[in-house]
């Protein structure tokens, strides 16, 4: 009910409608809500998961891009939207910390820590060695006629195995990890590579532990910046909401009417927004309504037959006024 607030909200929406119509370079990348994650890591010992760090990276990139967009404009071009950017801060330090540990695709970098680099290097070496050895054993089994020529290596429970007909499963010494649904095929891990597979599994566990250490350290580093990060995401949410109102205004062909800090309205050719959208989908036109109420003319009697449009008129008047007071643009003519 505050004129000042309504005026600000409507002008923000109207400015964004102009951006939607006239600007091609407004950043529309990632509007990701990470506020719940940021609130959660206020507690010492809690850390951001990898996906949460990736979401934080992308959302902060969106915030930074939006700030650059408005910084590149004259302050009087979008004054109301510009005011929203005033207290928003994006710290280069946080970007540097994120970019130091994850790739642009959201994967933990091999060099995120010296220990992780060592673990992954060992993993690659052992996996490469197992793969070569298993291929050699598969070829030998195919040569002996125990395995069909078109069979390839498989994975069961994270371990490389050879699919072999159950009738020949005793031909290869090892552990049977699985059988096919019919029982005709067994999946065997040869004994000679069991130990290497165990080492690989241990390295994978070590990799996970080291990644948790990296994420925990990163979370500890950014914990002091949580208030600023939350504020920047409130800004992102606000921009997303205003943009939504602007996009709706374009769908409704809505405009910003002149505002007065007094009770009363003078709607010119206003249309019920939901009726307008429904009719638009059917290529039909809504009959517009014009009506005026003011301090000196506070009542209007609407009469007419059943199904004559009285209820639609009342709903249109109420809804348009309510839309305006929620900061939305209104489907009517400019002179309203």
């Amino acid at each position: 009910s505050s004129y000042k607030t309504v005026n600000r909200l409507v002008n923000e929406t109207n400015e964004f409608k102009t951006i939607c119509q006239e600007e091609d370079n407004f950043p529309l990348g990632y509007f990701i809500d990470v506020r719940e994650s940021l609130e959660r890591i206020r507690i010492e010992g809690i850390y951001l998961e990898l996906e949460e760090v990736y979401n934080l990276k992308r959302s902060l990139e969106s915030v930074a891009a939006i700030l650059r967009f408005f910084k590149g404009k004259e302050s009087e071009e979008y004054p109301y939207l510009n005011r929203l950017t005033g207290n928003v801060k994006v710290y280069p330090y946080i970007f540097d910390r994120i970019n130091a540990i994850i790739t642009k695709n959201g994967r933990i970098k091999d060099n995120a820590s010296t220990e992780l680099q060592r673990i992954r290097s060992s993993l690659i070496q052992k996996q490469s060695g197992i793969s070569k050895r298993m291929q050699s054993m598969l070829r030998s089994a195919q040569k002996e006629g125990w395995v069909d020529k078109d069979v390839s290596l498989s994975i069961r429970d994270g371990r490389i195995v050879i699919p072999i007909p159950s009738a020949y499963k005793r031909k290869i010494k090892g552990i049977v990890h699985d059988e096919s649904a019919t029982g005709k095929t067994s999946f065997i891990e040869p004994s000679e590579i069991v130990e290497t597979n165990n080492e690989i599994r241990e390295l994978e566990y070590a990799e996970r532990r080291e990644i948790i250490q990296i994420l925990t350290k990163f979370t500890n580093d950014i914990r002091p910046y949580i208030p600023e990060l939350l504020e920047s995401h409130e800004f992102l949410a606000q921009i997303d909401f205003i943009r939504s109102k602007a996009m709706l205004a374009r769908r409704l062909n809505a405009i910003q009417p002149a505002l007065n800090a007094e009770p009363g309205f003078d709607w010119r050719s206003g249309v019920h927004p939901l009726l307008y959208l429904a009719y638009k989908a059917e290529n039909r036109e809504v009959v517009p309504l014009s009506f005026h109420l003011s301090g000196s003319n506070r009542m209007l009697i609407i009469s007419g037959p059943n199904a004559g449009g009285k209820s639609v008129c009342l709903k249109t008047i109420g809804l348009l006024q309510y839309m305006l007071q929620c900061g939305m643009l209104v489907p009517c003519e400019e002179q309203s």
Side-chain angles (χ1 to χ4, degrees), residues 24 38 43-44 49 57 68 77 90 93 109 129 135 147 181 186 211 213 217-218 233 237 318 323 327:
D24 296 326
L38 292 171
I43 303 169
E44 293 284 342
E49 295 286 353
K57 169 186 168 72
R68 282 195 301 272
E77 195 167 352
V90 179
Y93 168 76
K109 288 183 174 180
Q135 288 290 354
V147 179
S186 296
I211 287 173
Q213 289 287 337
K217 186 177 186 311
F218 167 77
H233 282 82
M323 285 174 68

Side-chain angles (χ1 to χ4, degrees), residues 101-292:
I101 64 170
I102 69 171
T103 66
K104 63 180 181 179
N105 297 320
R107 182 179 177 272
I108 287 281
K109 288 183 174 180
D110 292 344
N111 62 351
S113 76
T114 305
E115 179 64 9
L116 184 64
Q117 196 161 26
R118 183 195 68 77
I119 291 169
R120 285 186 170 173
S121 177
S122 298
L123 262 174
I124 290 169
Q125 289 175 4
K126 290 187 180 298
Q127 287 169 339
S128 176
I130 277 189
S131 180
K132 289 176 183 176
R133 181 68 186 127
M134 288 289 283
Q135 288 290 354
S136 173
M137 294 179 72
L138 177 63
R139 285 194 294 271
S140 295
Q142 289 170 334
K143 188 176 180 181
E144 294 289 341
W146 304 334
V147 179
D148 291 339
K149 296 292 184 184
D150 59 346
V151 167
S152 58
L153 296 174
S154 184
I155 302 287
R156 287 296 183 276
D157 296 325
R159 302 173 86 94
I160 303 176
V161 293
I162 296 175
I164 186 169
S166 295
Y168 296 109
K169 68 181 179 181
R170 303 293 180 193
K171 299 290 185 180
I172 298 178
K173 292 182 179 180
I175 300 171
V176 177
H177 280 282
D178 197 8
E179 284 187 347
S180 64
T182 60
K184 291 182 178 179
T185 304
S186 296
F187 297 89
I188 297 179
E189 179 186 17
S191 299
E192 60 188 271
I193 65 160
V194 169
E195 185 58 35
T196 308
N197 259 333
N198 287 339
E199 290 173 5
I200 286 175
R201 183 62 63 89
E202 287 172 7
L203 283 170
E204 288 171 346
Y205 291 148
E207 179 188 31
R208 178 58 187 159
R209 287 194 299 271
E210 182 60 22
I211 287 173
I212 290 173
Q213 289 287 337
I214 292 165
L215 295 174
T216 300
K217 186 177 186 311
F218 167 77
T219 304
N220 291 339
D221 290 344
I222 69 164
R223 189 171 283 117
Y225 298 92
I226 288 175
E228 289 82 3
L229 289 170
L230 286 170
E231 193 166 338
S232 68
H233 282 82
E234 290 289 348
F235 166 74
L236 191 63
Q238 203 170 8
I239 288 294
D240 193 28
F241 179 46
I242 296 168
R243 176 172 169 265
S244 298
K245 290 190 288 185
M247 291 170 68
L248 178 63
R250 294 191 69 189
R251 285 182 63 200
L252 294 173
N253 198 27
I255 58 95
Q256 176 180 349
L259 300 185
N260 291 320
E262 301 169 358
F265 47 76
D266 186 10
W267 296 120
R268 306 288 180 90
S269 298
V271 295
H272 190 295
L274 300 180
L275 198 60
Y276 174 82
L277 292 175
Y279 275 32
K280 188 177 180 181
E282 300 171 2
N283 290 319
R284 298 167 63 192
E285 289 191 7
V286 179
V287 176
L289 302 170
S290 296
F291 33 83
H292 169 77

